Structure formats: structure tokens, C-alpha cells
Amino acid sequence: MHWLDNVAWNEDGLIPAIAQDAASGRVLMVAWMNREALQLTAARHTATYWSRSRNKLWHKGEESGHVQVVKEIRLDCDGDVVILQVEQQGGIACHTGRESCFYRVLAQEGDAPQWEIRDAVLKDPAHIYSKGSGHE
């Protein structure tokens, strides 16, 4: 049996992939992978995802230069989620120019909880993306 056959792909042939900083443990982002993306990630030791919006492979950092060097790939107990332990090149994983896509925290403000931005923009996205997409 091929190692990819142990993955429980969803009905679209995808699996969620969590990118986690290998040094700090901080969750940087969540994306999707198809069989080819996971195979390329394992072979090249750099993160490749499946872009559902563009319906194509997405090599993280292809536009921004913020490549994720993969140190380890883990599969959860149900086989339906992978975690990539990565070294994030440039310290920016989010298309908003922040370290992590998880930069908002639910803050309790009286009776009305609100999302509060907690992480600063490290680099203006306009200076990251050449094609003006603002998102890899």
C-alpha cells in the first residue's frame, strides 16, 4: 500500500493541512491539499497546497517569496488532517502581511463579543504580491 492511500481524502479528494511553526508551535495557516500537493510537499520539502478558488496547485511563496520549508508531516489519528511543521521564510504566512492567518481574537466587550486584531502587519501586502492578487 502506498503511503498516500492511508489518507482519508474528503469527497472532493482533499484534506485540510495545518501549517505550524516548527520552532514556536504557533499555527500559521490552514489550507487544503490534494494527493498531488501532499506528494509534492513530501518530495520537495516545501509546502504545496490545492487552491480551491483557483482550482490549481499553489506552491506557497511562489509570488510572495514566503516559502514554507517543511520539517515534518504528521497525519492525525483519523487520517483526515495533516499538520506540516514548517520553517516560514520571511516570517510571514498570511496574505495580509502578518505572521499568522489567525490574527483575530474574540474579545468580550460587555454583552457584545467582537473580533479584535491582535497581530501587526509585518509587511504591506501591496509590496508582497506582484500580480496585485493580494493572496497566494
Side-chain angles (χ1 to χ4, degrees), residues 37-106:
L38 184 53
Q39 190 167 20
L40 284 169
T41 297
R44 296 179 178 172
H45 305 286
T46 57
T48 299
Y49 300 106
W50 178 255
S51 172
R52 294 177 300 165
S53 61
R54 291 176 289 173
N55 203 34
K56 69 174 196 165
L57 289 174
W58 158 38
H59 302 279
K60 178 68 176 151
E62 65 191 347
E63 283 186 44
S64 67
H66 300 142
V67 174
Q68 292 175 341
V69 178
V70 178
K71 302 297 185 178
E72 183 175 74
I73 302 172
R74 290 182 178 240
L75 183 65
D76 82 326
C77 57
D78 295 322
D80 61 359
V81 178
V82 294
I83 292 182
L84 308 178
Q85 299 285 320
V86 303
E87 178 184 303
Q88 180 65 59
Q89 301 295 301
I92 297 172
C94 185
H95 73 281
T96 66
R98 292 176 173 88
E99 174 190 18
S100 169
C101 293
F102 297 93
Y103 59 87
R104 293 177 278 201
V105 175
L106 188 61

Side-chain angles (χ1 to χ4, degrees), residues 3-35:
W3 65 273
L4 288 166
D5 296 333
N6 290 40
V7 176
W9 307 100
N10 72 12
E11 61 278 355
D12 296 320
L14 302 173
I15 188 170
I18 299 166
Q20 181 180 37
D21 186 280
S24 72
R26 182 162 190 202
V27 173
L28 301 175
M29 57 177 276
V30 176
W32 294 89
M33 292 181 146
N34 64 5
R35 189 179 181 98

